[in-house]
Amino acid sequence: PESHAYSFAHLVYASAWLKRHYPAAFTVSLLNNQPMGFYSPQSLVDDARRHGLTIRGVDINASTANATLEEHVPVMPGHPHAPAGDQPAIRLGLTSVRNLGDDVAVRIAAARPYTDLADLVRRADVPHPALDALATAGAFACFGLDRRAALWKAGAVAHIRADQLPGTTPSDLTPPPLPAMTAVEQTFADLWATGVSPDSRPVQHIRDHLTAAGATPAAHLPTLRAGQRLRVGGLVTHRQRPPTAGGVVFLNLEDETGMINVICPAKIWERQRRIALNSNALLIDGTLERSDGATNLLAGRLTPLTVTTTGRSRDFR
């Protein structure tokens, strides 16, 4: 109906205008209204970072319950779509942390700042599973603790209660020397704890392996000629099978450089349906198509792609 088309066009235009001129505020609004739409919080954060914005992780003394804007920072250079002037940084909120819950997140934010982990547990009554998730997310870096030291400390202070006398608990024990998390482990820790890695992407850790397997980064696709056969690899953000598309399925693949529109013909989908539905990440061989300024990959073969905490990938065939 005409009324529906008008309303939809207005929403698209308004959203595009906000994203162009106020990308940080736009992203924060999307993060604070999850779940919604096709894109996960990680995809939203990755897109914001590709447009030059700064994303800051959960911090027990800086984060509120929801994602917020912090002091202005210069937009990173080299982004043709970045708005003019400074943009605020984005601080991830406490409600994104696994096992925390809205009530505890609000309680923690209301009682800030905290002097150490013991002070947090005593005043905010944070349950042990939530402490572990906060430690895994790096939320205690403000106390001078890396993630493994924070996890050790969380176990030591988990049973502190408000009515206990200070100094009568093991909270002052010094953690033993523990190896710091690798960059890959830190990415997976972020994703497990909050669903968002503020400064890295899983696929970036296997780029060498993807390159060795002949995979082309998403950012390079606009420079290639239409009709070219190629391979891409990344995380599956969503799958669509419109009833009017004659069995064609539309996939979206995301690597560390951008997103790739994939058209999966009905025959390919039926032949490799199990792989397409059960794999969170894929290698896709296909043919590059370009029409009306849009770049797509017409899929010919799907292969499971597994990213591991060692920074390696499996199932290359």
Side-chain angles (χ1 to χ4, degrees), residues 29-45:
S29 298
L30 293 179
L31 291 174
N32 288 337
N33 284 280
Q34 294 296 312
M36 61 175 293
F38 286 124
Y39 299 108
S40 68
Q42 181 65 47
S43 291
L44 297 172
V45 164

Side-chain angles (χ1 to χ4, degrees), residues 92-108:
L92 299 182
L94 294 168
T95 54
S96 66
V97 178
R98 175 190 292 253
N99 299 324
L100 202 62
D102 293 353
D103 291 343
V104 178
V106 170
R107 188 163 68 238
I108 290 173

Side-chain angles (χ1 to χ4, degrees), residues 54-224:
T54 298
I55 315 296
R56 295 171 180 164
V58 176
D59 184 291
I60 205 68
N61 277 335
S63 294
T64 65
N66 292 323
T68 52
L69 300 175
E70 293 189 340
E71 72 275 10
H72 283 62
V73 294
V75 172
M76 289 186 291
H79 295 272
H81 302 297
D86 292 347
Q87 283 292 313
I90 296 172
R91 173 70 69 179
L92 299 182
L94 294 168
T95 54
S96 66
V97 178
R98 175 190 292 253
N99 299 324
L100 202 62
D102 293 353
D103 291 343
V104 178
V106 170
R107 188 163 68 238
I108 290 173
R112 294 175 304 158
Y114 303 96
T115 56
D116 55 24
L117 258 163
D119 183 39
L120 168 68
V121 175
R122 186 175 291 109
R123 292 199 289 122
D125 190 24
V126 183
H128 193 177
L131 280 178
D132 284 345
L134 286 164
T136 303
F140 301 136
C142 56
F143 302 144
L145 298 171
D146 66 27
R147 300 186 194 217
R148 285 208 168 101
L151 278 166
W152 187 93
K153 195 84 168 178
V157 305
H159 303 293
I160 291 178
R161 295 293 176 265
D163 57 355
Q164 290 176 312
L165 293 174
T168 61
T169 66
S171 61
D172 293 330
L173 295 177
T174 301
L178 299 167
M181 288 186 180
T182 65
V184 181
E185 289 171 334
Q186 186 166 310
T187 296
F188 277 82
D190 284 330
L191 293 175
W192 177 86
T194 67
V196 174
S197 180
D199 52 15
S200 63
R201 308 170 183 89
V203 178
Q204 78 183 55
H205 300 299
I206 60 166
R207 175 48 60 190
D208 289 345
H209 305 283
L210 288 173
T211 299
T216 301
H220 293 177
L221 298 188
T223 67
L224 304 179

